[in-house]
Short mmCIF file of all heavy atoms in Angstrom, two decimals:
data_model
loop_
_atom_site.label_atom_id
_atom_site.label_comp_id
_atom_site.label_asym_id
_atom_site.label_seq_id
_atom_site.Cartn_x
_atom_site.Cartn_y
_atom_site.Cartn_z
N GLN A 1 105.40 86.77 36.99
CA GLN A 1 104.76 87.98 36.36
C GLN A 1 103.96 87.58 35.11
O GLN A 1 102.85 88.08 34.88
CB GLN A 1 105.81 89.02 35.99
CG GLN A 1 105.23 90.42 35.55
CD GLN A 1 106.32 91.48 35.47
OE1 GLN A 1 107.50 91.21 35.49
NE2 GLN A 1 105.94 92.71 35.32
N ILE A 2 104.57 86.66 34.33
CA ILE A 2 103.86 86.21 33.08
C ILE A 2 102.58 85.38 33.42
O ILE A 2 101.57 85.54 32.91
CB ILE A 2 104.86 85.31 32.30
CG1 ILE A 2 105.99 86.11 31.74
CG2 ILE A 2 104.11 84.56 31.20
CD1 ILE A 2 107.19 85.35 31.22
N ALA A 3 102.77 84.43 34.50
CA ALA A 3 101.62 83.69 34.95
C ALA A 3 100.49 84.60 35.45
O ALA A 3 99.32 84.36 35.26
CB ALA A 3 102.08 82.73 36.05
N GLN A 4 100.84 85.69 36.21
CA GLN A 4 99.79 86.55 36.67
C GLN A 4 99.07 87.26 35.55
O GLN A 4 97.86 87.57 35.53
CB GLN A 4 100.41 87.61 37.69
CG GLN A 4 100.82 86.84 38.99
CD GLN A 4 100.77 87.87 40.19
OE1 GLN A 4 99.71 88.15 40.65
NE2 GLN A 4 101.87 88.36 40.60
N GLU A 5 99.83 87.68 34.54
CA GLU A 5 99.25 88.33 33.35
C GLU A 5 98.29 87.29 32.71
O GLU A 5 97.15 87.75 32.29
CB GLU A 5 100.37 88.66 32.35
CG GLU A 5 99.82 89.33 31.07
CD GLU A 5 100.85 89.52 30.03
OE1 GLU A 5 102.08 89.41 30.34
OE2 GLU A 5 100.54 89.86 28.83
N ALA A 6 98.62 86.15 32.59
CA ALA A 6 97.76 85.10 31.92
C ALA A 6 96.59 84.77 32.80
O ALA A 6 95.42 84.74 32.21
CB ALA A 6 98.57 83.83 31.74
N VAL A 7 96.72 84.67 34.06
CA VAL A 7 95.51 84.41 34.86
C VAL A 7 94.57 85.59 35.00
O VAL A 7 93.34 85.44 35.00
CB VAL A 7 95.96 83.95 36.36
CG1 VAL A 7 96.26 85.08 37.28
CG2 VAL A 7 94.91 82.95 37.00
N GLN A 8 95.10 86.77 34.87
CA GLN A 8 94.30 88.01 34.87
C GLN A 8 93.52 88.04 33.60
O GLN A 8 92.26 88.35 33.63
CB GLN A 8 95.21 89.25 34.98
CG GLN A 8 94.46 90.50 35.29
CD GLN A 8 93.96 90.64 36.71
OE1 GLN A 8 94.51 89.86 37.57
NE2 GLN A 8 93.16 91.59 37.03
N ALA A 9 94.05 87.73 32.50
CA ALA A 9 93.31 87.70 31.22
C ALA A 9 92.24 86.63 31.23
O ALA A 9 91.17 86.86 30.66
CB ALA A 9 94.29 87.47 30.07
N ALA A 10 92.57 85.44 31.78
CA ALA A 10 91.61 84.41 31.85
C ALA A 10 90.36 84.72 32.63
O ALA A 10 89.24 84.42 32.32
CB ALA A 10 92.19 83.19 32.44
N GLY A 11 90.66 85.51 33.79
CA GLY A 11 89.52 85.98 34.64
C GLY A 11 88.56 86.86 33.86
O GLY A 11 87.28 86.72 34.03
N LYS A 12 89.03 87.66 32.99
CA LYS A 12 88.13 88.62 32.18
C LYS A 12 87.33 87.77 31.21
O LYS A 12 86.16 88.10 30.84
CB LYS A 12 89.08 89.62 31.43
CG LYS A 12 89.77 90.53 32.26
CD LYS A 12 90.58 91.51 31.40
CE LYS A 12 91.30 92.60 32.35
NZ LYS A 12 92.13 93.43 31.50
N VAL A 13 87.88 86.54 30.78
CA VAL A 13 87.07 85.70 29.95
C VAL A 13 86.03 84.99 30.69
O VAL A 13 84.81 84.83 30.27
CB VAL A 13 88.04 84.63 29.25
CG1 VAL A 13 87.31 83.55 28.54
CG2 VAL A 13 88.95 85.35 28.23
N VAL A 14 86.40 84.50 31.92
CA VAL A 14 85.41 83.65 32.66
C VAL A 14 84.28 84.36 33.28
O VAL A 14 83.17 83.91 33.31
CB VAL A 14 86.30 82.87 33.77
CG1 VAL A 14 85.34 82.28 34.75
CG2 VAL A 14 87.24 81.90 33.12
N ARG A 15 84.52 85.65 33.75
CA ARG A 15 83.51 86.28 34.57
C ARG A 15 82.17 86.53 33.87
O ARG A 15 81.16 86.26 34.32
CB ARG A 15 84.05 87.61 35.00
CG ARG A 15 84.87 87.60 36.27
CD ARG A 15 85.17 88.92 36.91
NE ARG A 15 86.17 89.65 36.10
CZ ARG A 15 87.52 89.53 36.26
NH1 ARG A 15 87.95 88.79 37.20
NH2 ARG A 15 88.33 90.22 35.52
N PRO A 16 82.15 86.90 32.56
CA PRO A 16 80.89 87.04 31.86
C PRO A 16 80.02 85.82 31.75
O PRO A 16 78.82 85.91 31.56
CB PRO A 16 81.24 87.56 30.50
CG PRO A 16 82.68 88.15 30.61
CD PRO A 16 83.31 87.30 31.70
N TYR A 17 80.65 84.67 31.85
CA TYR A 17 79.92 83.42 31.72
C TYR A 17 79.29 82.91 33.03
O TYR A 17 78.41 82.06 33.11
CB TYR A 17 80.78 82.29 31.24
CG TYR A 17 81.15 82.32 29.75
CD1 TYR A 17 82.36 82.69 29.38
CD2 TYR A 17 80.26 81.95 28.79
CE1 TYR A 17 82.72 82.80 28.03
CE2 TYR A 17 80.55 82.02 27.44
CZ TYR A 17 81.77 82.40 27.09
OH TYR A 17 82.06 82.52 25.68
N PHE A 18 79.77 83.57 34.18
CA PHE A 18 79.32 83.08 35.51
C PHE A 18 77.87 83.26 35.71
O PHE A 18 77.36 84.47 35.53
CB PHE A 18 80.15 83.70 36.58
CG PHE A 18 79.93 83.17 38.04
CD1 PHE A 18 80.17 81.82 38.29
CD2 PHE A 18 79.40 84.03 38.98
CE1 PHE A 18 79.96 81.34 39.54
CE2 PHE A 18 79.18 83.51 40.28
CZ PHE A 18 79.43 82.19 40.51
N ARG A 19 77.14 82.37 36.11
CA ARG A 19 75.64 82.40 36.35
C ARG A 19 74.83 82.78 35.23
O ARG A 19 73.76 83.26 35.29
CB ARG A 19 75.37 83.31 37.60
CG ARG A 19 75.86 82.72 38.88
CD ARG A 19 75.59 83.53 40.12
NE ARG A 19 76.24 82.92 41.26
CZ ARG A 19 76.23 83.56 42.50
NH1 ARG A 19 75.84 84.79 42.65
NH2 ARG A 19 76.86 82.93 43.51
N GLN A 20 75.29 82.42 34.02
CA GLN A 20 74.47 82.52 32.79
C GLN A 20 73.68 81.32 32.60
O GLN A 20 74.20 80.14 32.40
CB GLN A 20 75.46 82.75 31.60
CG GLN A 20 76.14 84.07 31.74
CD GLN A 20 75.24 85.27 31.70
OE1 GLN A 20 74.40 85.45 30.90
NE2 GLN A 20 75.47 86.13 32.71
N LEU A 21 72.33 81.38 32.63
CA LEU A 21 71.45 80.31 32.63
C LEU A 21 71.53 79.42 31.34
O LEU A 21 71.25 78.26 31.39
CB LEU A 21 69.98 80.71 32.84
CG LEU A 21 69.77 81.44 34.24
CD1 LEU A 21 68.33 81.76 34.35
CD2 LEU A 21 70.23 80.45 35.35
N LEU A 22 71.97 80.04 30.26
CA LEU A 22 72.04 79.30 28.96
C LEU A 22 73.39 78.76 28.66
O LEU A 22 73.69 78.25 27.61
CB LEU A 22 71.58 80.24 27.83
CG LEU A 22 70.17 80.82 27.93
CD1 LEU A 22 69.88 81.76 26.78
CD2 LEU A 22 69.14 79.69 28.00
N LEU A 23 74.23 78.74 29.65
CA LEU A 23 75.63 78.17 29.48
C LEU A 23 75.51 76.69 29.28
O LEU A 23 75.10 75.90 30.15
CB LEU A 23 76.49 78.56 30.72
CG LEU A 23 77.89 78.03 30.63
CD1 LEU A 23 78.65 78.69 29.48
CD2 LEU A 23 78.68 78.31 31.97
N HIS A 24 76.07 76.24 28.14
CA HIS A 24 76.00 74.82 27.83
C HIS A 24 77.27 74.18 28.40
O HIS A 24 78.37 74.66 28.24
CB HIS A 24 75.80 74.56 26.33
CG HIS A 24 75.92 73.10 25.91
ND1 HIS A 24 74.85 72.26 26.14
CD2 HIS A 24 76.90 72.51 25.32
CE1 HIS A 24 75.22 71.06 25.68
NE2 HIS A 24 76.40 71.19 25.10
N ALA A 25 77.07 72.86 28.78
CA ALA A 25 78.19 72.06 29.25
C ALA A 25 78.25 70.80 28.53
O ALA A 25 77.22 70.03 28.53
CB ALA A 25 78.07 71.81 30.72
N ASP A 26 79.32 70.49 27.81
CA ASP A 26 79.51 69.20 27.13
C ASP A 26 80.03 68.27 28.21
O ASP A 26 80.65 68.74 29.17
CB ASP A 26 80.53 69.36 25.98
CG ASP A 26 79.95 70.19 24.86
OD1 ASP A 26 78.76 69.98 24.58
OD2 ASP A 26 80.65 71.05 24.34
N VAL A 27 79.90 66.95 27.89
CA VAL A 27 80.50 65.97 28.83
C VAL A 27 81.66 65.27 28.07
O VAL A 27 81.52 64.73 26.95
CB VAL A 27 79.45 64.85 29.16
CG1 VAL A 27 80.04 63.78 30.07
CG2 VAL A 27 78.21 65.49 29.88
N LYS A 28 82.81 65.32 28.75
CA LYS A 28 84.06 64.72 28.21
C LYS A 28 84.13 63.22 28.41
O LYS A 28 83.24 62.67 28.97
CB LYS A 28 85.23 65.36 28.76
CG LYS A 28 85.28 66.93 28.50
CD LYS A 28 86.68 67.47 28.95
CE LYS A 28 86.85 67.57 30.39
NZ LYS A 28 88.05 68.39 30.78
N SER A 29 85.10 62.64 27.91
CA SER A 29 85.19 61.11 27.92
C SER A 29 85.32 60.59 29.33
O SER A 29 84.92 59.54 29.66
CB SER A 29 86.38 60.70 27.00
OG SER A 29 87.61 61.24 27.58
N ASP A 30 85.84 61.42 30.24
CA ASP A 30 85.97 61.00 31.59
C ASP A 30 84.76 61.41 32.40
O ASP A 30 84.72 61.39 33.65
CB ASP A 30 87.19 61.64 32.29
CG ASP A 30 87.23 63.15 32.34
OD1 ASP A 30 86.31 63.73 31.84
OD2 ASP A 30 88.11 63.74 32.87
N GLU A 31 83.72 61.91 31.68
CA GLU A 31 82.41 62.25 32.33
C GLU A 31 82.44 63.52 33.08
O GLU A 31 81.42 63.85 33.69
CB GLU A 31 81.86 61.11 33.17
CG GLU A 31 81.54 59.79 32.43
CD GLU A 31 80.81 58.76 33.24
OE1 GLU A 31 80.53 59.03 34.44
OE2 GLU A 31 80.55 57.67 32.70
N SER A 32 83.53 64.28 32.91
CA SER A 32 83.56 65.61 33.54
C SER A 32 83.03 66.67 32.60
O SER A 32 83.10 66.53 31.40
CB SER A 32 84.98 65.92 34.00
OG SER A 32 85.75 66.09 32.85
N PRO A 33 82.37 67.64 33.06
CA PRO A 33 81.81 68.75 32.21
C PRO A 33 82.85 69.69 31.75
O PRO A 33 83.84 69.97 32.42
CB PRO A 33 80.79 69.42 33.17
CG PRO A 33 81.36 69.28 34.49
CD PRO A 33 82.05 67.99 34.51
N VAL A 34 82.57 70.31 30.60
CA VAL A 34 83.45 71.36 30.04
C VAL A 34 82.50 72.38 29.33
O VAL A 34 81.51 72.02 28.66
CB VAL A 34 84.51 70.87 29.01
CG1 VAL A 34 83.85 70.15 27.83
CG2 VAL A 34 85.43 71.92 28.60
N THR A 35 82.85 73.70 29.52
CA THR A 35 81.99 74.67 28.96
C THR A 35 82.88 75.56 27.96
O THR A 35 84.08 75.43 27.94
CB THR A 35 81.39 75.65 30.00
OG1 THR A 35 82.53 76.41 30.57
CG2 THR A 35 80.78 74.86 31.10
N GLN A 36 82.20 76.43 27.28
CA GLN A 36 82.88 77.46 26.41
C GLN A 36 83.84 78.29 27.28
O GLN A 36 84.87 78.74 26.80
CB GLN A 36 81.89 78.29 25.67
CG GLN A 36 82.63 79.15 24.61
CD GLN A 36 83.26 78.39 23.55
OE1 GLN A 36 83.04 77.26 23.33
NE2 GLN A 36 84.16 79.07 22.77
N ALA A 37 83.44 78.56 28.51
CA ALA A 37 84.40 79.38 29.31
C ALA A 37 85.61 78.64 29.65
O ALA A 37 86.70 79.31 29.69
CB ALA A 37 83.59 79.64 30.68
N ASP A 38 85.55 77.27 29.87
CA ASP A 38 86.74 76.49 30.07
C ASP A 38 87.67 76.68 28.86
O ASP A 38 88.91 76.93 29.00
CB ASP A 38 86.47 75.10 30.26
CG ASP A 38 85.72 74.74 31.55
OD1 ASP A 38 84.54 75.02 31.55
OD2 ASP A 38 86.21 74.21 32.51
N ARG A 39 87.13 76.51 27.69
CA ARG A 39 87.93 76.50 26.43
C ARG A 39 88.56 77.85 26.16
O ARG A 39 89.68 77.96 25.86
CB ARG A 39 87.07 76.01 25.33
CG ARG A 39 86.50 74.64 25.44
CD ARG A 39 85.71 74.13 24.16
NE ARG A 39 85.18 72.85 24.22
CZ ARG A 39 83.91 72.64 24.47
NH1 ARG A 39 83.04 73.62 24.68
NH2 ARG A 39 83.43 71.39 24.62
N GLU A 40 87.79 78.92 26.33
CA GLU A 40 88.22 80.26 26.01
C GLU A 40 89.34 80.65 27.03
O GLU A 40 90.33 81.29 26.74
CB GLU A 40 87.15 81.23 25.96
CG GLU A 40 86.23 81.07 24.77
CD GLU A 40 85.15 82.10 24.75
OE1 GLU A 40 85.28 83.16 25.41
OE2 GLU A 40 84.11 81.99 23.94
N SER A 41 89.11 80.28 28.34
CA SER A 41 90.11 80.56 29.35
C SER A 41 91.41 79.88 28.99
O SER A 41 92.49 80.59 29.08
CB SER A 41 89.59 80.01 30.70
OG SER A 41 90.49 80.27 31.73
#
């Protein structure tokens, strides 16, 4: 129940960023991308 509450809240954070053309992605040390959506989620 706790995990579902958390994942539901994360979805509300992630959805507004989806298909936003100005969404910036940084590159981490392992060369994988990370966005503000990842961090806020």
Side-chain angles (χ1 to χ4, degrees):
Q1 192 171 10
I2 293 166
Q4 292 210 76
E5 179 187 349
V7 83
Q8 193 76 12
K12 291 179 181 179
V13 167
V14 168
R15 277 191 288 272
Y17 285 104
F18 186 62
R19 293 184 180 166
Q20 294 301 305
L21 297 182
L22 298 179
L23 181 63
H24 174 73
D26 295 318
V27 179
K28 297 190 289 189
S29 59
D30 63 358
E31 298 186 359
S32 65
V34 61
T35 70
Q36 187 63 20
D38 295 78
R39 298 186 182 102
E40 290 184 15
S41 175

